Amino acid sequence: MTTPALISILLVDDERSLREPLAEYLTRQGFAVQDAESAAAARTLLARETPDIVLLDIMMPGEDGLSLCRHLVEARRLPVILLTARSEAMDRIIGLEIGADDYVTKPFEPRELVARIRSVLRRAERPAATPSEELLYEFEGWRLDPLKRRLTDSEGALVPISTAEFRMLRAFCDHPRQVLDRDRLLDLVQGREAHLFDRAVDNQVSRLRRKIESDSRNPHFIQTVRGGGYRFGAEVTRAIRDGDG
């Protein structure tokens, strides 16, 4: 019988007194752990192998955690849990906006971190495609592929979007022409206790508008509803995936 591969973790934190004991604890919990003291060291490790999840300190000398987080989310599609200090509330918001999956605030209980790791990995699992994922969303020439998380414009050009932007656009496509308030959007997009981060919705909508609107200041697709939230103004249809998807 083949032994299941261990879940691999990359721990990135410049504070040695936290990094090394935490790496030892996670190893005892059955994870395969590599640790790095900086974003540069993390990028070197990432060039050799890809972990299942990254635990990432925000405040580090040199390249900070938010910059590395953006790379991990947008270029590598890796789940990220931020390790933050209590004074870094705005950085936490920015991290969630650019696609981090969760955060823990220092000092934290290691058992809570393990629970969050397992929760994030469960959400990140890619099960066999459901019938809905075998279809494509189409709206006014645009096409969103839920399985490949790929967006193309009316001319067929690929439009890069982050994981967070993909989740937001899919939420709108699943509920076209419905008014979705911020709490509902946070629930659809993140599935976490995100009610403290209403601004994250507004900022994410602004980013998405810049990707899909011809004039983001006068949006056609993602319309603001005064006092109500947002509404996706286009008719959304489902198309059968072609041979290539």
Side-chain angles (χ1 to χ4, degrees), residues 197-208:
F197 302 103
D198 284 359
R199 279 187 50 198
V201 169
D202 298 330
N203 291 335
Q204 201 60 249
V205 165
S206 294
R207 287 188 171 90
L208 191 52

Side-chain angles (χ1 to χ4, degrees), residues 172 175-182 184-185 223-232:
F172 282 124
H175 303 83
R177 302 194 172 168
Q178 297 181 32
V179 177
L180 302 175
D181 63 22
R182 291 172 180 81
R184 178 64 173 144
L185 279 168
Q223 303 165 358
T224 300
V225 179
R226 187 179 299 276
Y230 297 99
R231 176 177 56 216
F232 197 65

Side-chain angles (χ1 to χ4, degrees), residues 12-243:
V12 188
D13 195 304
D14 67 306
E15 188 178 346
R16 183 176 179 180
S17 61
L18 180 147
R19 187 181 71 252
E20 293 185 351
L22 181 56
E24 291 177 4
Y25 176 83
L26 293 171
T27 299
R28 292 198 303 271
Q29 296 302 308
F31 298 102
V33 183
Q34 287 190 303
D35 64 278
E37 72 281 2
S38 66
R43 287 178 180 271
T44 298
L45 292 173
L46 287 163
R48 296 200 297 262
E49 56 185 280
T50 301
D52 294 306
I53 189 169
V54 179
L55 309 180
L56 179 59
D57 183 32
I58 288 182
M59 295 299 293
M60 296 186 294
E63 181 184 6
D64 66 18
L66 292 177
S67 172
L68 181 58
C69 180
R70 186 182 297 277
H71 168 74
L72 294 171
V73 170
E74 296 185 355
R76 303 297 295 266
R77 305 287 186 181
L78 288 173
V80 176
I81 296 178
L82 299 175
L83 309 179
T84 79
R86 294 187 184 279
S87 61
E88 297 165 358
M90 183 55 66
D91 288 334
R92 290 198 295 272
I93 293 172
I94 294 171
L96 294 173
E97 288 173 355
I98 63 179
D101 294 86
D102 206 344
Y103 70 89
V104 293
T105 303
K106 300 176 183 179
F108 51 81
E109 167 58 52
R111 287 177 298 179
E112 177 189 358
L113 177 59
V114 169
R116 289 177 180 267
I117 290 170
R118 297 192 188 282
S119 176
V120 167
L121 288 173
R122 283 194 298 270
R123 296 201 302 266
E125 285 178 351
R126 297 292 298 275
T130 64
S132 65
E133 287 178 326
E134 290 295 349
L135 299 177
L136 306 168
Y137 298 97
E138 290 189 341
F139 54 95
E140 299 186 18
W142 289 78
R143 175 175 284 196
L144 182 67
D145 184 333
L147 185 60
K148 295 186 177 181
R149 299 192 175 192
R150 187 170 64 180
L151 175 67
T152 53
D153 65 16
S154 57
E155 297 181 352
L158 184 65
V159 178
I161 56 173
S162 70
T163 299
E165 291 164 349
F166 163 80
R167 291 171 179 166
M168 180 72 73
L169 183 55
R170 183 170 185 179
F172 282 124
C173 287
D174 279 331
H175 303 83
R177 302 194 172 168
Q178 297 181 32
V179 177
L180 302 175
D181 63 22
R182 291 172 180 81
D183 286 339
R184 178 64 173 144
L185 279 168
L186 285 166
D187 182 57
L188 290 170
V189 172
Q190 296 178 320
R192 62 164 67 89
E193 294 179 5
H195 57 279
L196 297 176
F197 302 103
D198 284 359
R199 279 187 50 198
V201 169
D202 298 330
N203 291 335
Q204 201 60 249
V205 165
S206 294
R207 287 188 171 90
L208 191 52
R209 279 172 170 166
R210 290 196 289 269
K211 299 286 181 71
I212 68 174
E213 302 283 3
S214 58
D215 181 359
S216 61
R217 293 170 297 181
N218 184 31
H220 167 65
F221 293 121
I222 307 176
Q223 303 165 358
T224 300
V225 179
R226 187 179 299 276
Y230 297 99
R231 176 177 56 216
F232 197 65
E235 179 179 352
V236 179
T237 59
R238 295 295 191 97
I240 297 175
R241 182 184 302 278
D242 57 29

